Structures are given as C-alpha cells and as structure tokens.
C-alpha cells in the first residue's frame, strides 16, 4: 500500500504544446508518480482526487476547486476537510460520552460546560496530546519552513503526501 511505484506504475503526461511556437524549445514530459494510488490529472475537477460519489458526483457549490487552483491548494483543502472531519467525529463521541458517562474528575452538567471544569493537570495533558498529534501530522505532510524566504514554503504540502494520510 505504501510501497514505491514501479516503472510501469509511473504515468507520463505530455505538456500541451499547441500554444508554443516551434522555434521555442518544447517542455519535456513530466513523470507523475501515484500518491497512494491516486495520479493527479489536470483535466479532471480536483485533479481527479477521489471522493465524487453518486448522486451528486463532483459537487463544489462554493468554488473551492475552481479552474486554475493549484494541486497544492487542492491537497491542502482536502487535508483540512479530512482532519476537521476527524476532529468533529471525535468531538461528537466526546459529547455523547460526557452526557451519559460519569466523569473521573467529578465534572457535571451539560457537555458544553465540561471542558471548563477540568482540573489543570488533565487539561494540560489533553492539550499536550493534541499538540503532539498536530506536530506529527505537520512533520509527515508539510514541507519544512524556509525561514530565509518563508513565502516559498508557507502552506506547502510534500509532493508525495496524500491528504490526511498520517500513517
């Protein structure tokens, strides 16, 4: 599943050369390696990123994946979508558990009021766990910052990183 692609699996795409005059050197073909089985395709919405399902198919009413958006922006939007979805699912379970199960810290009341009632040490442990998970995700998927010219690496995902695939 996470192996390096073989020569047969590497897809070669030809650049569109119809607009370039013949006397100007033509760009070479670019080899695109599959990322977790997905090969980005500029001709498809969202570069062909999996996720279009019936009955709506490709659905983007707010234009987040409009024509002209870069592959990095598509991957960054999918990263945000997947990670926020995971957090929302865990939070939903936390609400249900907080409402129904007794707390080990004597916390009572509606789930919305329970975080403020946590003792300091468990709260610091919760915050540290969240920070550790976020740092791990950043180290796996994001390009290291270039403090000399931060605009080159700001919001940049690694080329071989599939959005949301943190191992």
């Amino acid at each position: 599943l996470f192996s390096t692609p073989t020569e047969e699996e590497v897809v070669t795409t030809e650049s569109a050369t119809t607009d370039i005059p013949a006397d100007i050197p033509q760009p070479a073909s670019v080899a695109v390696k599959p990322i977790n089985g997905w090969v980005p395709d500029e001709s498809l919405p969202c570069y062909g990123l999996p996720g279009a399902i019936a009955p709506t198919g490709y659905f983007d009413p707010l234009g987040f994946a409009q024509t002209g958006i870069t592959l990095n922006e598509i991957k960054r939007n999918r990263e945000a979508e997947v990670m926020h979805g995971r957090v929302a699912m865990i939070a939903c379970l936390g609400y249900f558990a907080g409402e129904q199960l007794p707390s080990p810290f004597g916390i009572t009341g509606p789930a919305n009021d329970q975080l403020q009632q946590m003792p300091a040490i468990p709260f610091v442990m919760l915050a540290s766990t969240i920070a550790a998970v976020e740092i791990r995700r950043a180290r796996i998927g994001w390009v290291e910052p270039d403090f000399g010219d931060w605009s080159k690496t700001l919001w940049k995902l690694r080329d071989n990183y599939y959005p949301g695939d943190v191992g």
Side-chain angles (χ1 to χ4, degrees):
L1 181 66
F2 300 105
S3 62
T4 305
T6 62
E7 291 295 323
E8 297 84 38
E9 293 175 325
V10 175
V11 177
T12 305
T13 59
E14 296 294 329
S15 298
T17 58
T18 56
D19 298 334
I20 302 173
D23 59 333
I24 296 176
Q26 304 295 313
S29 63
V30 179
V32 179
K33 293 182 179 182
I35 305 170
N36 220 15
W38 165 61
V39 178
D41 183 354
E42 281 187 53
S43 66
L44 297 173
C46 284
Y47 288 82
L49 194 61
I53 57 173
T56 60
Y58 173 68
F59 183 72
D60 183 27
L62 298 178
F64 287 115
Q66 60 195 343
T67 304
I69 194 168
T70 67
L71 177 60
N72 187 67
E73 290 171 315
I74 291 289
K75 287 171 57 177
R76 194 178 74 222
N77 286 343
R78 174 60 64 94
E79 172 80 2
E81 175 187 17
V82 169
M83 298 313 292
H84 285 97
R86 289 175 180 166
V87 168
M89 288 185 277
I90 292 170
C92 185
L93 288 176
Y95 265 71
F96 290 144
E99 291 281 339
Q100 295 299 317
L101 302 174
S103 169
F105 308 113
I107 296 172
T108 60
N112 271 355
D113 298 334
Q114 292 180 1
L115 188 62
Q116 302 92 300
Q117 297 176 39
M118 280 185 78
I121 293 174
F123 183 78
V124 168
M125 290 172 56
L126 174 67
S128 298
T129 301
I130 292 170
V133 169
E134 285 297 312
I135 289 170
R136 180 175 181 269
R137 182 174 67 94
R139 294 187 71 191
I140 291 172
W142 297 81
V143 173
E144 288 79 14
D146 178 4
F147 295 112
D149 185 8
W150 58 269
S151 63
K152 288 192 291 186
T153 56
L154 185 65
W155 308 117
K156 180 89 171 96
L157 290 169
R158 296 180 192 277
D159 292 335
N160 62 346
Y161 176 66
Y162 186 82
D165 187 10
V166 292

